[in-house]
Amino acid sequence: MTLIKTTYNRRSFLKTTTLAGGGMLLGFSWLASCNPTPEEALAMPEEWFDINAFLKIGDNGIVTIMSPNPEFGQNVITSMPMIVAEELDVDWKNVVVEQAPFNSEKYTRQFTGGSQGIRRGWEGLRMAGASARQMLREAAAQAWQVPVEETSTEAGVVHHKASGRSLGYGEIASAAAQVPVPEEVQLKEVKDFRIVGTSRKNVRGREIVTGKPLFGVDYRREGMLFAMIAHPPAFGLKLKSVDDTAARAMPGIKDIFTIKTYKEGYEKGYFDTDAFPELVAVAGESTWQVMNAKKALNIEWEPIADSTETLNVFGNKQTVHIPAGRENTTDHIAEMEKMAAGPGEAPRRDGDPETAFQTAAKVIERTYSAPFLAHNCMEPMNFFAHVTEGKAELAGPTQAPEIMEQTLSARLGLPLEKIEIHLTRMGGGFGRRAYGHHMVEAALISQKVNAPVQLFYSREDDMTFGIYRPTYQITYRAALDADNNLIAFHVKGGGIPEHSVFPDRFPAGAVDNYLAEAWKIDSNITIGAFRAPRSNFTAGAEQSFLDEVAEIAGKDPIEFRLELLERAQNNPVGENNDYDPARYAGVLELVREKSGWGQEQPGVHRGLSAYFCHNTYVAQVLDLAIENGKPVVKRVCCAIDCGIVINPDAATNMAEGAIVDGIGNAFYGAMSFKDGVPEKTNFDTYRLIRMNEAPKQIDVHFVQNEIAPTGMGEPPFPPVFGALANALYKATGKRHYHQPFLGEQRMLG
Amino acid sequence: MRHAQILKNCSVIFFNSNIMANFTLNINGKKQQVDVDPNTPLLWVLRDHLNLVGTKYGCGIAACGACTIHLQGVAVRSCMLPVSQVGNQAVTTIEGLSENGGHPVQQAWLEHDVPQCGYCQAGQIMNAAAFLKANPSPSDEDIESAMSGNICRCGTYLRIKAAIKSAAAG
């Protein structure tokens, strides 16, 4: 057993035996209507005993486990409680899961992003289960008057083997709730896991397939009004004036007014990104009426002025320049070409890359690019707010309640404890819901109309509001000696308005002479985190480039990478290399074995890619055929090292989805601009991958080890861009350097 | 009702949103009365007026399938179906597809643990259920063709396809 110190403060372990029904922990009572079906329903206990913030035990042995993190499809609502249940040592069929309310005193890091939920939650979730189990054992030991060491647990029962006595958790829960929280607890050995590492169905599966109200847009409140906003039609414009005479007279319309999302002089935080801080709001009785009234508004817009703002990035202040003007994609491409030709910042340099390139036998240089992308969460941005005198209550889909609480507090002038945020299930997030301007908008609208309000974005509002994945360009150079050894590597990348260069990632550390450079161009088009930020472009570019270098060097693409990784393992260059070469090599070896590498079928063209980001290693082999002149992805074989896999089938689902998402964005994804206007506004023009375009088969394999788990939301996504590009090359003889690979050609300025 | 009858017989889209009219709808086997603008898409009548929120908005232009319901057993996009066009036709929403998720398609969805975020899945299930009724033994190509109007942003297409095959196999 592993003995670890518990690190919760006392408030995390508020114990109240007086609480019947557990009402205190459940701010989200409307979800009570989402119980399982009668035939599967568990008999609910008469009384619940709160053991700690993560769990309570009913007098009949049923356990409620709170899932702390916001859920957007990554299925932490199943996997996080699995970890608690494992250490609690309870039968999974006796577990009920609830979404924890946002509460920064009880829970830490209630944030969904960066694939960090499981990695950062792992220890705390284990402690929550293990300390409760310890308290149950101590309570039983006291009841039996035996030393606690003589007790053991199994599937919700405490045993005293010597005397043959046993007590169910439900029978002892009341006494356990009185036991002091242990200062240190024993954790299970990995080999003893009975829940973690086994596939468990999504605990919300039945509610989802029966259409129960789980999502932000499903939130309802007596007297609730529906609201929408009108924002400038182009980046570079702002509100000048509004004539709402016609709209105001329309049926069901309660009020029309302008709102300012931030106060004058407010220092924005990292997730306060917002190109359109002044908006026209329409509130009314129904969505359709509000939509129609919005169309009847007569709004004048005017150009923004050139400005700078100070951004507080978690304590580090940055000055951001926001240029005036209405930008065009064609200009962006020309500007990026110009910047790429000039000098960049150089965050890393090893050896003497300039000399190595001069003396090289061969130099290979390739440039890659990708457009802006919209997140396109299927559930558009929305939020419920009810702001009353001295209090704000919000409910909806957010990845970052803790951060947005600060923003709301500043805007509404309310202390943090007067702001309540309920977490609904999110209809997708992909990074977009870390940004919460719409939460503030909802609160301001509620405040003005003095009623509960649901703010709702139409698809067009959602797609044209900004916070896009940036557009990027990157140039790689490789130097080979006469024996085709990689002697120098140069990466120089930029973007609008950020670059995608990771100076310390592979192949840094594996090449004697190395240079990383970066540049960027200011823009008034807003950007935000998009599933595996920056990696989502860099991985595909880098892995395409390495494929081409391997080919020119006359090496097998897997062998070529393994040689470099061996160098990084045995004799690394530099000290800050951001990867473990052995684990990187491990996924390459696993994918080589599982894909049947080297045994290609006729007519099937294979592309390889491997990438490490967000603490997880992924390698993929993509098989592509040309059928009726079109590329068809026949199969993707994916090898992953994310340490211990909590819920294998759910992790497989994430990898499958990431691969489909990546192929879709690589083939079709693009947002373009003309005079500042986003040229795509809905799914008729913004092409998303559909079933007939998805791979026919995806096989996912995990490296088996006992390393503490890392995340799955992002890592399987970035490499597939490269695997696809490399397979396309094999199939067509043509290298694809510019995304999207199909549907559009890059127009050079 | 006379007004509603006139509207029902008329296929033009009404541009004047100031007219309100009373409609009696047949939804999930129940008669439901609403007093709304006749142009209101059925989607918003379900969600805003009848609190049947299982049917989802995704695009409003019948391009994503999230709002799929059954009209006389046929899969229809409710986001572009004016309430005035519904008449007495039987409307089935995800809430009415089965008692407690017992429909074979819903069961297959659970068996394959299809959903990620889950937002599109009601529309996927409604589309699949109507499709399987018309084509009980589909090929992979049939499934792809029938389901390509339904977007899943999370990319659960392989599981959706597998679940439909399971449901078809019974």
Side-chain angles (χ1 to χ4, degrees):
Chain A
M1 296 253 189
T2 319
L3 201 62
I4 62 159
K5 291 242 180 268
T6 53
T7 54
Y8 291 118
N9 61 34
R10 287 295 305 182
R11 279 189 295 199
S12 297
F13 288 93
L14 283 175
K15 295 186 300 296
T16 47
T17 48
T18 50
L19 244 193
M24 194 172 110
L25 281 180
L26 296 178
F28 213 16
S29 57
W30 68 287
L31 279 181
S33 63
C34 308
N35 285 332
T37 58
E39 71 270 20
E40 292 199 347
L42 295 165
M44 281 297 118
E46 299 280 316
E47 197 169 358
W48 288 104
F49 302 100
D50 289 354
I51 307 296
N52 59 44
F54 289 87
L55 66 99
K56 56 186 177 178
I57 300 176
D59 54 14
N60 63 350
I62 299 296
V63 178
T64 294
I65 300 181
M66 310 304 286
S67 182
N69 280 27
E71 172 63 45
F72 67 3
Q74 80 280 39
N75 208 356
V76 285
I77 200 162
T78 306
S79 53
M80 285 186 146
M82 283 173 70
I83 299 167
V84 177
E86 179 67 68
E87 293 289 350
L88 179 61
D89 203 9
V90 65
D91 196 331
W92 183 246
K93 75 172 171 19
N94 291 329
V95 171
V96 176
V97 172
E98 284 175 11
Q99 173 70 60
F102 165 62
N103 187 327
S104 52
E105 293 196 345
K106 285 184 176 168
Y107 307 102
T108 55
R109 200 186 180 278
Q110 286 184 288
F111 177 78
T112 290
S115 300
Q116 297 301 303
I118 292 292
R119 177 171 174 256
R120 306 261 303 260
W122 171 243
E123 195 173 71
L125 293 163
R126 294 183 80 186
M127 268 193 262
S131 55
R133 174 172 166 270
Q134 180 66 17
M135 289 156 77
L136 289 156
R137 288 176 67 198
E138 284 181 18
Q142 279 172 24
W144 295 326
Q145 293 295 298
V146 300
V148 70
E149 293 74 27
E150 290 181 11
T151 64
S152 60
T153 62
E154 190 185 357
V157 180
V158 188
H159 295 289
H160 183 244
K161 293 242 165 86
S163 63
R165 284 177 290 186
S166 56
L167 278 169
Y169 283 5
E171 297 172 274
I172 204 74
S174 167
Q178 306 293 341
V179 170
V181 177
E183 302 248 319
E184 48 184 24
V185 289
Q186 289 181 322
L187 299 179
K188 282 186 177 178
E189 299 286 350
V190 174
K191 68 174 174 53
D192 296 325
F193 284 172
R194 279 181 290 195
I195 296 172
V196 167
T198 65
S199 291
R200 305 290 167 155
K201 301 279 194 223
N202 190 324
V203 297
R204 289 292 172 270
R206 186 166 293 274
E207 287 106 311
I208 291 168
V209 305
T210 53
K212 294 293 185 293
L214 295 169
F215 299 92
V217 287
D218 302 340
Y219 199 91
R220 292 289 179 270
R221 180 69 60 87
E222 190 67 35
M224 184 182 95
L225 297 178
F226 293 86
M228 297 182 80
I229 51 92
H231 69 276
F235 292 88
L237 290 182
K238 62 175 181 169
L239 182 67
K240 185 183 180 194
S241 65
V242 56
D243 171 7
D244 61 14
T245 317
R248 201 170 267 283
M250 290 170 74
I253 298 308
K254 294 288 182 187
D255 204 354
I256 300 173
F257 46 92
T258 61
I259 54 170
K260 282 187 175 170
T261 309
Y262 305 105
K263 283 183 179 167
E264 289 297 324
Y266 170 66
E267 191 176 84
K268 280 186 185 174
Y270 189 69
F271 292 114
D272 291 331
T273 306
D274 190 349
F276 307 121
E278 189 169 12
L279 304 160
V280 182
V282 183
E285 288 170 4
S286 73
T287 309
W288 183 246
Q289 290 170 323
V290 172
M291 277 180 168
N292 284 314
K294 194 182 144 183
K295 283 181 200 153
L297 292 171
N298 197 349
I299 308 177
E300 278 192 84
W301 313 99
E302 62 184 347
I304 61 166
D306 202 80
S307 67
T308 56
E309 64 182 27
T310 306
L311 197 62
N312 187 336
V313 185
F314 307 108
N316 297 319
K317 304 221 171 159
Q318 287 178 8
T319 303
V320 183
H321 172 229
I322 302 159
R326 297 173 66 168
E327 301 176 21
N328 290 285
T329 296
T330 48
D331 297 339
H332 283 160
I333 294 169
E335 285 164 26
M336 290 202 290
E337 294 282 356
K338 197 172 146 200
M339 281 297 286
E345 284 175 55
R348 177 161 170 164
R349 170 190 293 271
D350 298 326
D352 182 357
E354 288 79 5
T355 304
F357 275 103
Q358 277 165 19
T359 58
K362 285 176 201 159
V363 173
I364 306 148
E365 177 178 325
R366 300 289 183 265
T367 294
Y368 303 80
S369 73
F372 285 94
L373 296 175
H375 294 77
N376 293 329
C377 306
M378 284 308 288
E379 179 189 16
M381 297 304 109
N382 70 90
F383 232 85
F384 168 88
H386 190 198
V387 178
T388 49
E389 193 64 41
K391 185 170 177 284
E393 187 190 359
L394 287 95
T398 173
Q399 293 176 231
E402 194 161 2
I403 295 163
M404 291 319 301
E405 187 188 39
Q406 308 275 343
T407 303
L408 286 160
S409 168
R411 182 62 182 89
L412 300 172
L414 290 172
L416 293 177
E417 61 270 20
K418 295 292 179 191
I419 294 166
E420 200 177 324
I421 302 173
H422 303 302
L423 306 176
T424 67
R425 191 177 182 85
M426 292 177 259
F430 309 99
R432 179 63 179 86
R433 287 192 224 275
Y435 304 83
H437 55 85
H438 51 288
M439 296 170 70
V440 182
E441 293 155 19
L444 294 173
I445 295 167
S446 170
Q447 196 172 42
K448 174 75 168 63
V449 298
N450 195 25
V453 161
Q454 186 171 73
L455 171 65
F456 170 79
Y457 276 41
S458 68
R459 175 58 55 197
E460 290 81 3
D461 295 336
D462 187 279
M463 207 180 282
T464 60
F465 204 91
I467 316 195
Y468 303 115
R469 197 285 300 268
T471 182
Y472 296 118
Q473 176 167 318
I474 202 162
T475 300
Y476 290 96
R477 286 199 303 152
L480 300 176
D481 67 11
D483 297 324
N484 285 319
N485 295 307
L486 182 62
I487 55 165
F489 195 87
H490 176 202
V491 51
K492 183 176 183 183
I496 303 173
E498 67 163 28
H499 68 78
S500 69
V501 175
F502 292 95
D504 297 321
R505 285 194 180 166
F506 183 79
V511 191
D512 286 319
N513 305 292
Y514 175 89
L515 177 63
E517 292 183 278
W519 49 266
K520 54 192 182 180
I521 297 169
D522 293 332
S523 172
N524 58 38
I525 297 169
T526 50
I527 58 146
F530 183 110
R531 192 176 207 169
R534 302 187 289 147
S535 301
N536 58 37
F537 168 65
T538 293
E542 172 203 293
Q543 290 294 308
S544 297
F545 183 66
L546 289 179
D547 197 70
E548 198 163 351
V549 173
E551 185 188 38
I552 291 166
K555 293 179 183 176
D556 171 79
I558 294 183
E559 281 301 326
F560 176 67
R561 288 168 174 81
L562 288 174
E563 277 173 26
L564 291 169
L565 288 163
E566 198 180 340
R567 164 72 201 275
Q569 176 74 21
N570 296 331
N571 182 22
V573 181
E575 284 170 2
N576 298 321
N577 301 322
D578 178 24
Y579 60 97
D580 176 340
R583 293 182 77 185
Y584 217 135
V587 290
L588 279 163
E589 282 158 1
L590 184 61
V591 87
R592 178 162 63 181
E593 176 204 331
K594 298 293 184 186
S595 68
W597 185 254
Q599 301 153 38
E600 284 81 350
Q601 302 299 309
V604 176
H605 310 278
R606 310 196 104 172
L608 168 87
S609 183
Y611 203 66
F612 169 65
C613 67
H614 299 86
N615 315 97
T616 292
Y617 299 80
V618 179
Q620 292 162 344
V621 170
L622 183 146
D623 291 355
L624 185 137
I626 303 294
E627 293 177 359
N628 302 318
K630 285 184 183 163
V632 176
V633 180
K634 306 298 279 187
R635 176 191 178 210
V636 178
C637 183
C638 180
I640 300 171
D641 181 353
C642 59
I644 294 164
V645 186
I646 310 300
N647 188 359
D649 188 55
T652 299
N653 198 347
M654 284 309 293
E656 291 167 359
I659 287 164
V660 171
D661 187 8
I663 291 170
N665 277 298
F667 268 149
Y668 318 116
M671 175 57 90
S672 55
F673 302 89
K674 187 151 191 239
D675 293 330
V677 178
E679 291 191 290
K680 294 171 187 176
T681 60
N682 207 323
F683 299 138
D684 52 346
T685 47
Y686 197 111
R687 189 167 171 190
L688 294 177
I689 191 167
R690 290 168 185 269
M691 185 189 277
N692 59 330
E693 297 150 345
K696 305 302 170 196
Q697 183 184 341
I698 298 174
D699 303 323
V700 181
H701 305 276
F702 294 96
V703 173
Q704 302 294 317
N705 59 36
E706 295 191 358
I707 299 169
T710 54
M712 279 294 300
E714 288 158 306
F717 178 67
V720 78
F721 292 75
L724 179 64
N726 296 337
L728 278 170
Y729 165 68
K730 290 279 181 57
T732 64
K734 181 179 177 300
R735 292 274 177 192
H736 288 263
Y737 299 104
H738 304 292
Q739 294 171 29
F741 299 148
L742 293 183
E744 285 177 36
Q745 290 302 310
R746 190 180 197 220
M747 287 152 61
L748 286 166
Chain B
M1 272 313 293
R2 190 182 62 83
H3 193 58
Q5 208 57 46
I6 294 164
L7 291 167
K8 194 192 152 199
N9 296 334
C10 181
S11 61
V12 301
I13 299 294
F14 288 78
F15 289 99
N16 185 347
S17 293
N18 291 316
I19 305 168
M20 299 289 270
N22 195 274
F23 298 95
T24 303
L25 301 167
N26 174 5
I27 296 174
N28 298 331
K30 268 196 241 166
K31 296 275 178 220
Q32 301 266 18
Q33 286 216 357
V34 289
D35 190 26
V36 293
D37 164 9
N39 294 327
T40 310
L42 180 62
L43 169 68
W44 299 115
V45 174
L46 295 171
R47 292 188 57 83
D48 292 0
H49 300 275
L50 300 173
N51 203 27
L52 291 167
V53 294
T55 306
K56 295 293 191 276
Y57 167 89
C59 67
I61 57 167
C64 79
C67 66
T68 305
I69 52 103
H70 295 172
L71 197 63
Q72 298 287 75
V74 176
V76 169
R77 309 301 194 223
S78 65
C79 73
M80 288 195 82
L81 175 68
V83 65
S84 58
Q85 304 291 306
V86 176
N88 292 325
Q89 298 176 89
V91 173
T92 308
T93 70
I94 187 71
E95 290 92 345
L97 185 64
S98 69
E99 287 277 321
N100 302 317
H103 189 282
V105 171
Q106 289 167 311
Q107 289 295 310
W109 244 249
L110 293 173
E111 180 197 331
H112 290 271
D113 217 13
V114 171
Q116 285 187 27
C117 87
Y119 189 82
C120 75
Q121 299 294 351
Q124 303 273 5
I125 288 167
M126 294 307 284
N127 205 63
F131 160 64
L132 280 176
K133 209 155 76 175
N135 183 353
S137 325
S139 66
D140 280 24
E141 290 70 28
D142 293 340
I143 297 172
E144 287 179 11
S145 163
M147 298 302 294
S148 286
N150 286 69
I151 293 172
C152 173
R153 178 70 184 82
C154 301
T156 64
Y157 296 127
L158 274 75
R159 285 176 188 243
I160 291 173
K161 199 197 284 183
I164 292 173
K165 285 160 84 166
S166 281

